Amino acid sequence: MSTLTNWNEEISYEVDDVNFKTPKTVEDVQAVVKRACETDQKVTVIGAMHSTTECMVGTGVIISMKNMARVLSIDKENLTVTVQAAVTLHQLAEHLKELGLQPPVILEWGNFQIGAISGTHANDSSMRRSGQFSSYVLGVKLVTPTGEIMEISEMKNAEYLPAIRSHFGLFGVVCEVTVRIFNTQPLQVDFQVTEIDSFLDHFTDELKSLKEAYDQVFGVVFPNTGKVLLQRRKFLDPTVKRPVNLETLLDPIESRNISLFGGLFLPLVKAGTALHPSAPLAALLNNATVELPLKILSHVTYVIDPCQRAVLYKEDEPNFEFYDWMFAEDKWVDALRAFLALADRFRREKDFFMPLPALVYFIKQDQESLLSRSRNANMMAIDPEYPDPKEPLWKEFRLAFNEMAMEHGGSPHMNKTRFGAINHFAKSHDQVIIKKYLQLRKQFDPNDLFLNPYFQTTFKDYL
């Protein structure tokens, strides 16, 4: 038996060794799928298992693509790259960096496998172009649920491309992916620290200014200190020489995207929470560990190659938990105020303190994928983190957050919002699009070979 465990060790399951497959070629994948189809076995494909929902838990044959991890070709003229499914974002970024190129979206977790994020909710912040990786997928080579090869691209079977950009492993096995890439542009980063209340009171003007001045903005809300940190990013003209190599001066503080959690806040927070302090004492400790870094960051400006952001994490770090809900821009202020009120109520009534901040992603409206996170509007996330996923009150808080988020028109992250997405995603998304997506899924997989328990429950009212 093999035990498969997700990123933060909260989800694990066992699979018989005979059912755990690690193909090396497309033909190997075809053979596995055809055999499963003939014997009526379920099939689930796993990637880096970064998800904190049960979306990658299977009950039959489990396919790991880890042995299919080669960069196959780069078209410098048309700015595309074709890779095998298990190529990691870090591997791709390093490869492209040597050629003066960069991936279209560079998330801070370089362990992501391209085959997985070609059709899931992997996103970064972006004000001016799509922040969702799957939106830049131009084509895939798919082994269908009957074991046949199907190429889907802007030129072949193009009508399926928006669905494949939201495949979630439900349409077959993605073996190869072609992605749009960009010429490298240096990324200038600086920080703004402000009071939460002031930012919310002047939100319309603040948002307008950010959109006018920056390509990407990533927010970090500290409910217990009343502060919000904005990491502001702007692409620079690569032909203009810079006087100082600031990434060298700042390394390792932020040649790694100021590893705000894995490298900075999380170790400090865990050291404090290990003492199991009461909520009032925890607040004092939290203020002490947060205020100094914020003061330092407010004076920091640096420039990096964007490819440096795709950091590889070890298997044992970090192990906090995400809980990502997305809201339309015009509803985000009310939603954040409701979130802050909920956090304050849990602190007062249940002595439950949230030592880590909530993350804020800005995602431009984007209809390239059927289940896009920002299909109908510009969206903003409220993504609280917690350092101990096993804490019972954290689970209670998440369930209360689910109800609050639905009241404010929120939509959960399919891969990151445990107990949220499985119960609320289908209801929160465009109903016409959900039905269209599931009709296409059924067309590809009429026998539900790739439909695992998680997605069966998520879409139970529509199947």
Side-chain angles (χ1 to χ4, degrees), residues 3 17 72 191 200 223 255 261 280 288 295 449:
T3 300
D17 290 336
L72 298 175
F191 297 85
L200 296 181
S255 65
F261 300 99
K295 287 180 180 178
L449 198 72

Side-chain angles (χ1 to χ4, degrees), residues 347-395:
R347 179 186 59 79
R348 289 183 289 102
E349 296 179 2
K350 302 178 183 293
D351 198 35
F352 175 70
F353 178 78
M354 296 180 59
L356 285 174
L359 310 184
V360 180
Y361 296 94
F362 299 72
I363 304 185
K364 185 177 175 61
Q365 184 175 4
D366 169 13
Q367 298 186 348
E368 295 299 320
S369 62
L370 273 187
L371 301 187
S372 167
R373 301 201 76 199
S374 58
R375 183 166 188 85
N376 296 323
N378 292 334
M379 304 291 279
M380 294 176 63
I382 300 175
D383 182 8
E385 326 295 310
Y386 195 74
D388 181 7
K390 292 180 171 59
E391 166 60 52
L393 282 172
W394 166 238
K395 180 177 180 180

